[in-house]
Amino acid sequence: MNEITIIKPDDWHLHFRDQDMLLETVPATARCFERAVVMPNLVPPVTTAELALSYKERILAARPAGSTFTPLMTIYLTDKTSVEDIQDAKKAGVLAAKMYPAGATTNSDSGVNSLESLYPVFEALAENDMLLLIHGEVTQKHIDIFDREKEFIDQHMVNIVKRVPNLKVVFEHITTKDAADFVLNAREGVAATITPQHLLLNRNDMLDGGVRPHNYCLPILKRSTHQEALRAVVKSGSPKFFLGTDSAPHARHRKESDCGCAGCYSAWSALELYTQVFDELDALDKLEGFASLYGADFYGLPRNTEVVTLVREAWDVPESIALPSGEPIVPFFAGKSVSWKIKT
Ligand code: DOR
Ligand code: ZN
């Protein structure tokens, strides 16, 4: 197959950042995604309905002319989030709340320290038909970084899903066979997003032959057996797994540093790279479900009606892009060839 037409996809997890960065990130995503779930880990974080609404306005202002792209807003849970905050968020049209364990990743310092005390908030999410989006890693420093996702499942995920049985939970950017198996076997109302980098790469791609800071993201790339498990699960066509790029821009000097930031800026190539993966898996017939249908169905939103066509045509991801600030950023897969291209 040299051409594939699918319903226009949505990105169910990404980071746009703020201010002039939006002039780069919003058009890059709007070129092929109709909607995107926008992560709230700004500095300071988007913790309330009011902050989410003003952030949404800034995103809308950065859309290219004529674009119908729609940002889907989230709020950031802290130890102080109240049931009232959730009710206000619902009224403002916020779809979901994002839970970062404090210290788990970029801009998560204000995240949750005591998960136990958040159960009333989880109940309120369920009552208001909102979703809980989870960065599923423990933060205990004695736990090996490669084991933190598995530990989170055992310590927390199992309990959250059991104790709030009507809560829709998205296990974000899963990276392990353990997480894939957990979601596969979980009750209805539990799903996961998967990034392009975790389908394309494993930890050798970050560490073999030299440290590759642009492949450093969190949860960290795992060994190839886990990568293979994620590839198998998308090939299976299970509707519990859908597209979430976790596109997360950081200027080049923030990545190429003695303490580099986590995050891959994939918006420039993500849809094409997912297509490449499904092609490699001989599963192009499963791409549309993963990219365009299952996420909307899980969120309870209408499916898109427009379509997008991808053609088999090689192109190279640029080595570097200039941010509106003038600073360079290295996009995910920089300098590498991608075998599919969006037909314009
Ligand atoms: O690699 C990551 N980057 N993982 C996250 O969870 C956050 C993100 C970011 O905001 O840069
Ligand atoms: Zn993320």
Side-chain angles (χ1 to χ4, degrees):
M1 203 194 286
N2 291 321
E3 190 170 304
I4 179 169
T5 297
I6 58 172
I7 290 183
K8 199 167 176 192
D10 303 302
D11 185 347
W12 298 97
H13 180 131
L14 60 55
H15 302 262
F16 275 147
R17 313 301 187 208
D18 207 351
Q19 310 300 340
D20 60 355
M21 183 77 108
L22 296 174
L23 295 171
E24 160 59 35
T25 54
V26 176
T29 287
R31 85 192 163 91
C32 59
F33 294 108
E34 185 60 24
R35 298 171 288 198
V37 173
V38 181
M39 289 301 123
N41 61 334
L42 303 182
V43 190
V46 180
T47 49
T48 63
E50 196 184 343
L51 290 169
L53 286 179
S54 63
Y55 185 30
K56 184 176 184 180
E57 287 309 312
R58 297 195 295 281
I59 294 167
L60 290 173
R63 288 187 304 184
S67 170
T68 55
F69 172 77
T70 305
L72 305 173
M73 305 311 291
T74 62
I75 57 164
Y76 181 115
L77 298 181
T78 73
D79 293 329
K80 297 204 178 79
T81 305
S82 65
V83 166
E84 201 183 355
D85 290 328
I86 301 302
Q87 290 161 345
D88 290 347
K90 175 70 183 180
K91 280 184 216 137
V94 171
L95 287 188
K98 178 72 188 278
M99 208 270 296
Y100 291 100
T105 186
T106 309
N107 303 338
S108 63
D109 299 351
S110 320
V112 174
N113 289 288
S114 165
L115 218 149
E116 197 56 35
S117 54
L118 265 192
Y119 272 89
V121 166
F122 298 161
E123 301 280 359
L125 287 170
E127 274 161 32
N128 286 284
D129 207 13
M130 292 171 68
L131 293 86
L132 175 63
L133 316 181
I134 299 183
H135 183 110
E137 288 190 287
V138 296
T139 54
Q140 294 139 302
K141 294 297 172 202
H142 67 280
I143 307 281
D144 190 279
I145 188 169
F146 293 99
D147 297 334
R148 288 180 187 173
E149 185 172 277
K150 159 95 173 89
E151 276 291 323
F152 188 90
I153 298 169
D154 298 343
Q155 289 187 33
H156 304 295
M157 202 61 139
V158 170
N159 292 330
I160 295 169
V161 162
K162 197 192 285 175
R163 283 176 57 182
V164 195
N166 49 349
L167 177 61
K168 278 192 199 172
V169 175
V170 183
F171 196 161
E172 298 290 345
H173 41 52
I174 61 166
T175 64
T176 56
K177 178 172 190 317
D178 310 277
D181 288 344
F182 171 79
V183 171
L184 273 174
N185 297 316
R187 64 161 168 80
E188 204 184 315
V190 179
T193 52
I194 307 186
T195 74
Q197 63 266 27
H198 292 104
L199 292 169
L200 281 159
L201 307 178
N202 60 65
R203 63 193 190 181
N204 279 5
D205 297 295
M206 180 177 57
L207 296 171
D208 185 27
V211 178
R212 321 275 167 166
H214 299 289
N215 290 342
Y216 172 60
C217 63
L218 288 171
I220 200 158
L221 294 171
K222 305 297 192 296
R223 60 166 65 239
S224 63
T225 46
H226 293 292
Q227 180 195 1
E228 289 309 322
L230 300 180
R231 289 170 74 97
V233 100
V234 300
K235 183 181 164 87
S236 80
S238 164
K240 291 183 158 199
F241 302 88
F242 46 83
L243 185 157
T245 62
D246 202 18
S247 184
H250 294 278
R252 185 165 112 191
H253 74 276
R254 304 287 305 276
K255 297 279 295 171
E256 297 175 8
S257 150
D258 60 0
C259 187
C261 293
C264 301
Y265 181 45
S266 62
W268 276 58
S269 59
L271 182 59
E272 295 86 340
L273 288 172
Y274 282 117
T275 309
Q276 183 167 317
V277 168
F278 279 79
D279 188 18
E280 285 165 9
L281 294 170
D282 198 16
L284 279 174
D285 60 321
K286 302 289 188 343
L287 177 67
E288 184 177 55
F290 177 82
S292 314
L293 308 180
Y294 304 152
D297 294 350
F298 189 80
Y299 270 73
L301 294 173
R303 293 176 174 185
N304 295 324
T305 49
E306 282 175 67
V307 294
V308 55
T309 298
L310 292 119
V311 288
R312 189 188 298 280
E313 186 184 321
W315 61 285
D316 291 342
V317 178
E319 296 278 4
S320 179
I321 297 165
L323 290 171
S325 64
E327 284 178 301
I329 182 170
V330 178
F332 181 60
F333 234 60
K336 294 211 182 76
S337 178
V338 182
S339 54
W340 287 83
K341 197 169 187 186
I342 293 175
K343 195 169 165 180
T344 45

